[in-house]
Amino acid sequence: MPKVGIVVGSIRKNSFSEQLGKNIVELLPEGYEAEFIEIGNLPLYNQDSDEDIPAVYTTFRETVKALDAVVFVTPEHNRSVPAALKNALDVGSRPYGSNVWNGKPALIVSHSPSNLSGFGANHHLRQVLAFLNMPVVQQPEVYIANVHELLGEDGKITNQDTVGFLQSAVDALVGLVTKYEA
Ligand SMILES: Cc1cc2nc3c(=O)[nH]c(=O)nc-3n(C[C@H](O)[C@H](O)[C@H](O)COP(=O)(O)O)c2cc1C
């Protein structure tokens, strides 16, 4: 059964990112499994830890290694990727030569409470994932605007057009999983 990791770029409780992530899980086809990947517990990476590896790094790397695909759902922090998300990408990319992200199909979903939709974060993340050798869904690009108006009190997306659009993005990711597992 293919396993999709949901990596949430925000580490605050009940973030819009997490709520969007839960909606996206519902759109995965039958037979797919989803797992939210904890990133808020990872100490800030530095190369000394390649010698004395923190146990949480090992757990994180093993968890990512077992995934078949990754969905990144992220806000934008100062026109880029939140530091916690960049740290998680760095932790998974090292020690040199053992990048656990390698070859895993990915979908990027960015959002903001404004019309900007996290465009800067979305494209900075694309740049990093290119180097980490992750085949990323190119179309559709997913920029969610006015996220605070999109989610009901139960955390569900209220706009069915948005649900349909996200479904098309998830379908594109599933297409990549099928292609790369073949
Ligand atoms: C440090 C910081 C920097 C931010 N920078 C941006 C930004 O560059 N662009 C933007 O659209 N929103 C920015 N925001 C606002 C976030 O989009 C907003 O807080 C969003 O709700 C966070 O998503 P979350 O609910 O998933 O945490 C910033 C927020 C923080 C805390």
Side-chain angles (χ1 to χ4, degrees):
M1 180 185 293
K3 192 189 260 191
V4 178
I6 314 293
V7 176
V8 171
S10 171
I11 57 174
R12 75 183 182 101
K13 284 192 203 90
N14 201 31
S15 64
F16 291 127
S17 308
E18 185 183 359
Q19 292 181 54
L20 283 177
K22 287 180 178 165
N23 280 270
I24 289 166
V25 166
E26 299 296 316
L27 304 175
L28 288 168
E30 217 177 303
Y32 272 64
E33 196 184 332
E35 180 177 355
F36 280 80
I37 309 298
E38 172 74 49
I39 64 167
N41 62 345
L42 299 171
L44 200 55
Y45 175 80
N46 82 65
Q47 273 188 284
D48 291 340
S49 60
D50 289 354
E51 308 301 324
D52 186 11
I53 302 175
V56 281
Y57 280 14
T58 305
T59 305
F60 175 76
R61 288 167 177 157
E62 292 304 318
T63 303
V64 173
K65 249 191 234 173
L67 299 173
D68 297 290
V70 185
V71 177
F72 294 94
V73 189
T74 188
E76 176 172 279
H77 281 181
N78 299 311
R79 299 290 181 266
S80 187
V81 174
L85 176 53
K86 181 58 166 58
N87 186 50
L89 291 163
D90 290 346
V91 169
S93 73
R94 293 279 161 154
Y96 185 75
S98 41
N99 163 25
V100 295
W101 305 105
N102 186 43
K104 297 188 191 297
L107 172 67
I108 299 174
V109 175
S110 66
H111 67 83
S112 83
S114 65
N115 285 330
L116 293 176
S117 318
F119 178 88
N122 191 307
H123 281 259
H124 281 184
L125 184 53
R126 269 171 211 279
Q127 177 172 327
V128 177
L129 301 194
F131 182 62
L132 296 178
N133 196 33
M134 301 183 82
V136 178
V137 170
Q138 299 299 334
Q139 295 295 333
E141 296 163 272
V142 184
Y143 310 105
I144 305 290
N146 303 314
V147 67
H148 59 302
E149 292 172 355
L150 194 67
L151 296 157
E153 277 183 17
D154 59 357
K156 298 264 187 237
I157 296 173
T158 50
N159 182 321
Q160 289 315 303
D161 287 346
T162 304
V163 175
F165 174 61
L166 284 172
Q167 183 69 68
S168 70
V170 168
D171 291 348
L173 178 67
V174 168
L176 280 185
V177 172
T178 310
K179 182 173 167 187
Y180 281 89
E181 78 184 355

